[in-house]
Every structure is written in C-alpha cells, then in structure tokens.
C-alpha cells in the first residue's frame, strides 16, 4: 500500500514552460486535493475533486488546471509557469466520510520557476 | 472567507519545557484537525476534535477545541527533540461532502537537546 504518490519530487522550470504534476492514490478514496505550501502561509487549496468526474476551484486556482483521470489519479497542470508558482505542491486524498475528514498527503513536489 | 490564525509562528525551546500553540478564528468550524509535518514530507494527521469543549490527549500532547468551536490549542508537556517539526491546524470548511480544509499558517517548533 503506497498511499499517495507524487511525481516528480523536484522540478525546475523556466518562465513560460508548461508541466504536469502527477498524483495517484491506492486507498480507493473518493476525494482528491491539490495544495501549495509557501513559507508562513500554511497550505492553500488550489483545486479539488470531491468525487470521480468532478473538479472545483479552491482558494488559489489561477494559473492552474486539473484533470481527474480516474478514481486513482488527479493531475495538476501549469500551462505557462511563472516565478510566483515556485512552491511545494502537495496532493492529498480523503475517503469522503462525514466523520473523519482526515486527508492523506503525498510527499510533495518542490517546484522552482526561474 | 474563513481564516485560521495560528500562533506563534516559530518556537525554539529546550528539551523538557512545556509549550502551547494556538489556533484562532472568527468563524465556526464543524471540526478542527491538527497535523504534524516533517521536512521533505507531507502533513500527517495527529487528531480531530469535533465537539465544543472537547479535550483529547495523545501521550504528551493535549488538544482542546473551544466551546464555541472557533479556536483550538495544542499543549505539549516536557517537549523532546523528536517533537521538532511543523504543526498545522486545519478547520473543516464548506460542506462536509467536499472535505475542504482551511489551514493555519503553521508553527515551526524546534526542541533543542
């Protein structure tokens, strides 16, 4: 049971380049989330998918797109990277029960945009 | 917009000292969680508090949810170097169906031997 996996672990992009961050979970969870973490700002929600086939904007969606490919996989795409998108990106998943709300996080992708 | 203010942002203490981290909001949350994050890893859930006034203990860690469900605290007794890390509080926002979390800014704790 790998839990939540993310690829790549590190990436350096030049301004204007595009890339896709991959996330997969093997816990049969319904909901998946993408966050970014910047110093002193906690984690901020970029996009989420409450269930397979649906996606919704979070707090900071501008400059990003997402795809819920199937129940296991949720990808985050940067179409034209900007230095302001330098951050650590975390994917998370949740079973979607009304009691726990526990989210399971991947190890993160550290992205630098120059 | 729901916000969570966490304080202090940084804490450096000696092994054996006690400490308290606070998480405050003007909004009511249905539940509140505390996560711990180590360098290079994702956050890991420590506890969820659901009922106003609830107190939960996890070994030397004591978590409390305010009566009005707007604030929470984490108290560590006799801190050890292994407690070093980033502590994040998170409130469950929006409908319970989406499970969206609102995170505080985090408290970086360093416990020196």
């Amino acid at each position: 049971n790998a839990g939540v996996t993310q690829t790549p672990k590190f990436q350096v992009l030049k301004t204007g380049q595009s890339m896709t961050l991959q996330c997969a979970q093997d816990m049969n969870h319904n909901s998946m989330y993408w966050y970014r973490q910047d110093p002193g700002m906690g984690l901020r929600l970029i996009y989420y998918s409450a269930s397979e086939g649906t996606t919704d904007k979070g707090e900071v969606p501008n400059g990003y797109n997402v795809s819920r490919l199937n129940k296991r996989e949720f990808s985050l795409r940067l179409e034209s990277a900007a230095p302001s998108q330098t951050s650590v990106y975390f994917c998370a998943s949740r079973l979607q029960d009304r009691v726990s709300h526990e989210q399971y996080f991947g190890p993160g992708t550290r992205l630098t945009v120059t | 917009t729901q916000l969570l203010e966490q304080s202090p942002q940084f804490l450096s203490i000696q092994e054996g000292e006690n400490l308290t981290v606070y998480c405050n909001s003007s909004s009511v949350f249905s539940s509140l969680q505390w996560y711990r994050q180590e360098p290079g890893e994702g956050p890991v859930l420590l506890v969820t508090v659901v009922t106003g006034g609830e107190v939960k203990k996890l070994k030397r860690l004591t978590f409390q949810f305010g009566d009005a469900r707007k604030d929470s605290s984490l108290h560590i007794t006799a801190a050890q170097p292994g407690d070093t890390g980033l502590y994040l509080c998170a409130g469950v926002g929006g409908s319970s169906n989406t499970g969206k979390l609102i995170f505080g800014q985090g408290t970086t704790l360093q416990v020196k031997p």
Side-chain angles (χ1 to χ4, degrees), chain A residues 53-72:
Chain A
T54 68
T55 60
D56 282 289
K57 295 179 181 179
E59 183 186 351
V60 288
N62 292 344
Y64 306 94
N65 282 302
V66 290
S67 294
R68 183 75 184 266
L69 304 169
N70 48 54
K71 192 170 186 179
R72 289 186 64 248

Side-chain angles (χ1 to χ4, degrees), chain A residues 38-111:
Chain A
D38 302 293
M41 301 189 75
L43 280 86
R44 292 182 293 168
L45 183 65
I46 305 171
Y47 269 93
Y48 68 99
S49 171
S51 60
E52 186 179 356
T54 68
T55 60
D56 282 289
K57 295 179 181 179
E59 183 186 351
V60 288
N62 292 344
Y64 306 94
N65 282 302
V66 290
S67 294
R68 183 75 184 266
L69 304 169
N70 48 54
K71 192 170 186 179
R72 289 186 64 248
E73 298 170 290
F74 189 37
S75 62
L76 178 71
R77 182 160 179 83
L78 287 69
E79 290 290 352
S80 179
S84 61
Q85 294 179 304
T86 293
S87 187
V88 183
Y89 291 86
F90 288 99
C91 176
S93 70
R94 184 180 76 101
L95 180 60
Q96 197 186 38
D97 64 275
R98 288 179 182 271
V99 176
S100 169
H101 298 291
E102 177 177 2
Q103 292 190 13
Y104 294 79
F105 287 82
T109 294
R110 186 174 294 273
L111 174 68

Side-chain angles (χ1 to χ4, degrees), chain A residues 33 37 94 98 100-101 103, chain B residues 33 35 37 96-99:
Chain A
Y33 309 84
Q37 185 174 37
R94 184 180 76 101
R98 288 179 182 271
S100 169
H101 298 291
Q103 292 190 13
Chain B
Q33 302 179 331
Y35 288 81
Q37 183 180 14
S96 59
N97 211 32
T98 65

Side-chain angles (χ1 to χ4, degrees), chain B residues 15-101:
Chain B
E15 181 176 2
E17 293 184 4
N18 302 331
L19 67 116
T20 302
V21 178
Y22 299 93
C23 185
N24 296 297
S25 177
S26 58
S27 304
V28 175
F29 289 96
S30 58
S31 62
L32 200 137
Q33 302 179 331
W34 285 91
Y35 288 81
R36 180 164 171 253
Q37 183 180 14
E38 302 206 23
E41 298 181 8
V44 176
L45 181 69
L46 294 173
V47 77
T48 300
V49 285
V50 180
T51 307
E54 183 176 4
V55 177
K56 280 191 175 179
K57 293 193 175 184
L58 193 65
K59 297 183 181 178
R60 293 176 293 98
L61 279 61
T62 301
F63 304 86
Q64 187 162 5
F65 201 14
D67 291 341
R69 290 186 289 128
K70 293 183 179 181
D71 55 87
S72 180
S73 63
L74 158 61
H75 182 79
I76 300 180
T77 304
Q80 298 178 1
D83 295 326
T84 293
L86 177 67
Y87 290 83
L88 295 154
C89 64
V92 178
S95 74
S96 59
N97 211 32
T98 65
K100 289 165 59 178
L101 295 178

